Amino acid sequence: MPIIGQLIKGLVHASQYVTGDRDPVTEQRTVLKELLTQAVDTAFGKKYGFQRILEATSPPIAFAEAVPFFDYHKINEEWWYRQHGLAQSNITWPGAPDYYALSSGTTGKKSKRIPVTDAMINAIKTAGVKQIIALKNFDLPADFFEKGILMLGSSTDLTQRKHHLEGEISGISASNIPSWFRGYYKPGEAIAEIDDWDERVAQIIKEAPDWDIGALSGIPSWMELMLKAVIDAHGLDTIHDIWPNLRVYTSGGVAFGPYEKSFHALMGKPVTVIDTYLASEGFIAFQNRPDTDAMQLITDNGIYFEFVPFDETAIEADGSLSPSARALRLDQVEKGVDYVLLISTVAGAWRYMIGDTITFTDVDRAEIQITGRTKFFLNTVGSQLSVNKLNDAVHGLETEYDIRIPEYTLCAKKFEDGFYHSWYLGSDSDIDTDTVATALDNFLKEANKNYKVARSKALKGVKVHMVPPHIFHEWSAASKKKGGQVKMERVMGEERFSEWETFVTDTIAQ
């Protein structure tokens, strides 16, 4: 009888009587006031009159009127740079950050340094507890709560700078796990500190038979590589041959859809997949019920959200928000509309464009889906395709032809006779590329009327190249580092795409 598991499960279920019903709109008003109050005496708070905003009839309206939009480059060049080399305090948040999360976005080569304060660390921990509490909705057996949780992220061996530590957010989070969780945490502190991905996986392979894993957590692409390595090294058919009690996979970082088929092929029995949204700037949302694939915004925990309707008038040519764009509050959004997400946080980000676009699937529950990246919105010659539409088309190919395509990228590329969407699909399947190109084209015509119009005018068609999936992993590794928060670009500009095509040619030739 799993006594400890029964106890933990009982506590998780009892929490619903403590937390009560949510009111996301009211929670957001409270969070904004808390943020403004705590930062009122910072240099940023004095510049933009946080005290006046707090005294206003409607602080949310006054806040939107007083504070401009920021992206990383704007806030870093105007404010955060003072915290880096000069190590000044009280710039955009009280005190000085103890950590910086290194984030290059999606396989970019130059890292951003996102401040991570103690308040943000505590907010991430609190969000993690909320996610554990939400497991009561997934009808898991009591013994699940006694199993290990394998978290596959970046190294916890953070780099010591003069005034702070830095690393990727998954490494920072793992290095700050609560003491009560350490008994469940795998691969354990010693392996988690290993910086080299291949060496870390080798140690996981060695220890794997001794672990009783109930849950996995990490970015799908790297999780798949690790699972395949364990399966191959131990001569298994599926990962359940070594971890028979594996029941849950917590996905994050990218949409799980493109990896769904290849991931489940590694399983011997069904696994519950739970989506999360942990960014370098904070823990934003997680899936809290089984009858949806949407995630619930964490509206009461150190992040204030705003939403800019996403169209060509909202984004400038350099990717920043237009100063005339209108940001909406949570009580003003509509279901099914794409929005650029803005956040203000306990780490001193203010009206900060995180770079993701989202849509609401349930406004009352504040449930969202990530629809793409502002830089990955494919709008050349009016096609207006978001990443979720591209993912849907790839999933359609997998279903129609019974193939696996865990990775892809594309570019609206100009050829001699005009623009084509040039796709690279990562698959080991032997299938005619002309057939796939026609099917892709048809899927997208059915899914998006703007694409259909573009195809009747300036967009000439679709070109498809099939390459082994490992090339995508090698590209990510060459661009940055294996196993971290590295995510494959789904849409590239022509210059970056030219680099990609050269890399593919050289890799295949080796």
Side-chain angles (χ1 to χ4, degrees):
M1 178 103 175
I3 297 175
I4 296 176
Q6 290 282 9
L7 176 61
I8 295 173
K9 185 174 182 179
L11 291 172
V12 167
H13 279 269
S15 66
Q16 64 185 309
Y17 302 109
V18 177
T19 57
D21 294 331
R22 299 179 65 242
D23 182 354
V25 171
T26 300
E27 289 170 353
Q28 279 287 273
R29 293 195 189 107
T30 300
V31 166
L32 178 60
K33 287 184 179 180
E34 290 173 346
L35 292 172
L36 294 171
T37 299
Q38 291 178 80
V40 69
D41 291 325
T42 63
F44 192 95
K46 292 176 180 177
K47 165 77 172 179
Y48 292 107
F50 280 10
Q51 187 60 52
R52 292 192 303 274
I53 295 172
L54 285 164
E55 295 169 354
T57 303
S58 174
I61 293 176
F63 177 67
E65 291 175 347
V67 181
F69 301 133
F70 288 91
D71 58 16
Y72 173 78
H73 300 289
K74 179 176 171 63
I75 200 168
N76 189 60
E77 290 171 3
E78 295 182 14
W79 296 96
W80 286 348
Y81 78 92
R82 305 185 202 178
Q83 302 172 156
H84 293 166
L86 301 177
Q88 295 179 6
S89 299
N90 303 319
I91 303 303
T92 62
W93 192 255
D98 289 326
Y99 301 91
Y100 279 87
L102 302 181
S103 172
S104 57
T106 308
T107 67
K109 295 182 180 179
K110 186 175 181 181
S111 288
K112 302 174 184 177
R113 283 175 165 77
I114 312 293
V116 180
T117 60
D118 286 342
M120 180 55 74
I121 292 290
N122 290 333
I124 291 172
K125 289 180 181 179
T126 299
V129 171
K130 289 177 182 290
Q131 186 172 25
I132 291 173
I133 290 173
L135 291 175
K136 68 179 184 290
N137 300 323
F138 289 86
D139 193 29
L140 296 165
D143 65 356
F144 168 79
F145 296 92
E146 295 185 333
K147 308 304 179 184
I149 301 176
L150 175 54
M151 300 172 63
L152 191 67
S154 54
S155 171
T156 58
D157 186 18
L158 307 177
T159 301
Q160 177 71 60
R161 299 302 183 191
K162 187 174 182 180
H163 301 286
H164 65 269
L165 292 167
E166 62 184 32
E168 293 185 5
I169 191 62
S170 58
I172 293 172
S173 300
S175 67
N176 282 276
I177 60 173
S179 57
W180 61 266
F181 184 69
R182 288 174 184 160
Y184 300 92
Y185 171 59
K186 303 297 180 186
E189 295 178 37
I191 296 177
E193 287 182 351
I194 298 173
D195 186 57
D196 182 84
W197 161 262
D198 295 315
E199 183 182 345
R200 199 179 336 151
V201 170
Q203 287 300 311
I204 290 173
I205 290 170
K206 183 178 179 181
E207 300 286 342
D210 298 326
W211 296 340
D212 187 4
I213 300 297
L216 304 169
S217 178
I219 290 178
S221 55
W222 301 115
M223 184 62 69
E224 280 195 19
L225 281 182
M226 184 275 294
L227 294 176
K228 287 177 181 176
V230 172
I231 290 169
D232 291 344
H234 292 284
L236 311 174
D237 292 323
T238 74
I239 198 64
H240 277 103
D241 293 337
I242 198 167
W243 296 329
N245 295 308
L246 175 61
R247 295 179 180 272
V248 171
Y249 169 48
T250 301
S251 176
V254 295
F256 179 68
Y259 303 94
E260 183 175 9
K261 192 165 187 176
S262 56
F263 178 86
H264 286 299
L266 304 175
M267 303 294 123
K269 48 191 171 183
V271 169
T272 298
V273 178
I274 301 175
D275 274 328
T276 62
Y277 188 1
L278 172 61
S280 298
E281 294 84 357
F283 201 150
I284 291 171
F286 61 84
Q287 181 184 347
N288 83 327
R289 58 193 181 99
D291 47 345
T292 179
D293 58 359
M295 297 176 288
Q296 188 175 78
L297 287 173
I298 305 173
T299 52
D300 62 348
N301 188 40
I303 301 179
Y304 177 69
F305 300 101
E306 295 174 273
F307 314 91
V308 176
F310 185 41
D311 56 42
E312 59 255 21
T313 66
I315 303 295
E316 301 281 20
D318 63 358
S320 63
L321 275 176
S322 167
S324 61
R326 182 183 175 223
L328 306 179
R329 303 182 303 273
L330 184 57
D331 61 321
Q332 296 174 307
V333 298
E334 299 177 11
K335 179 179 177 180
V337 176
D338 278 344
Y339 294 103
V340 179
L341 184 62
L342 303 181
I343 59 173
S344 299
T345 78
V346 289
W350 297 102
R351 307 200 80 201
Y352 179 95
M353 184 177 73
I354 197 169
D356 291 326
T357 59
I358 60 98
T359 189
F360 282 86
T361 59
D362 189 316
V363 173
D364 292 335
R365 286 190 170 102
E367 289 182 340
I368 65 163
Q369 290 179 330
I370 301 173
T371 56
R373 299 281 294 172
T374 53
K375 292 182 178 180
F376 292 175
F377 188 73
L378 192 60
N379 194 31
T380 305
V381 295
S383 52
Q384 293 191 15
L385 289 171
S386 59
V387 171
N388 66 329
K389 296 296 185 186
L390 303 177
N391 288 343
D392 288 346
V394 171
H395 182 68
L397 289 178
E398 290 183 316
T399 301
E400 181 164 334
Y401 297 107
D402 192 25
I403 58 177
R404 299 173 195 164
I405 310 173
E407 298 287 0
Y408 73 86
T409 192
L410 74 150
C411 173
K413 182 178 177 180
K414 190 172 184 179
F415 292 81
E416 289 185 2
D417 58 336
F419 279 99
Y420 287 80
H421 283 177
S422 184
W423 290 70
Y424 279 77
L425 300 177
S427 179
D428 292 320
S429 302
D430 183 15
I431 186 170
D432 179 64
T433 55
D434 290 338
T435 300
V436 173
T438 300
L440 261 179
D441 196 27
N442 290 334
F443 278 127
L444 293 171
K445 285 177 182 176
E446 294 174 6
N448 190 294
K449 63 181 181 181
N450 291 309
Y451 176 85
K452 188 173 183 179
V453 170
R455 280 288 289 111
S456 68
K457 296 181 180 179
L459 185 61
K460 298 297 183 182
V462 172
K463 295 179 182 289
V464 166
H465 310 269
M466 306 290 284
V467 296
H470 72 83
I471 289 179
F472 290 82
H473 303 139
E474 291 175 23
W475 165 261
S476 295
S479 296
K480 194 182 177 190
K481 182 188 291 185
K482 285 184 177 181
Q485 299 294 110
V486 185
K487 309 159 194 173
M488 184 63 203
E489 302 110 308
R490 294 309 188 197
V491 176
M492 297 184 184
E494 286 203 60
E495 182 178 349
R496 182 71 164 164
F497 197 68
S498 177
E499 295 176 13
W500 159 257
E501 293 197 301
T502 299
F503 179 87
V504 171
T505 300
D506 292 346
T507 303
I508 291 176
Q510 292 175 359

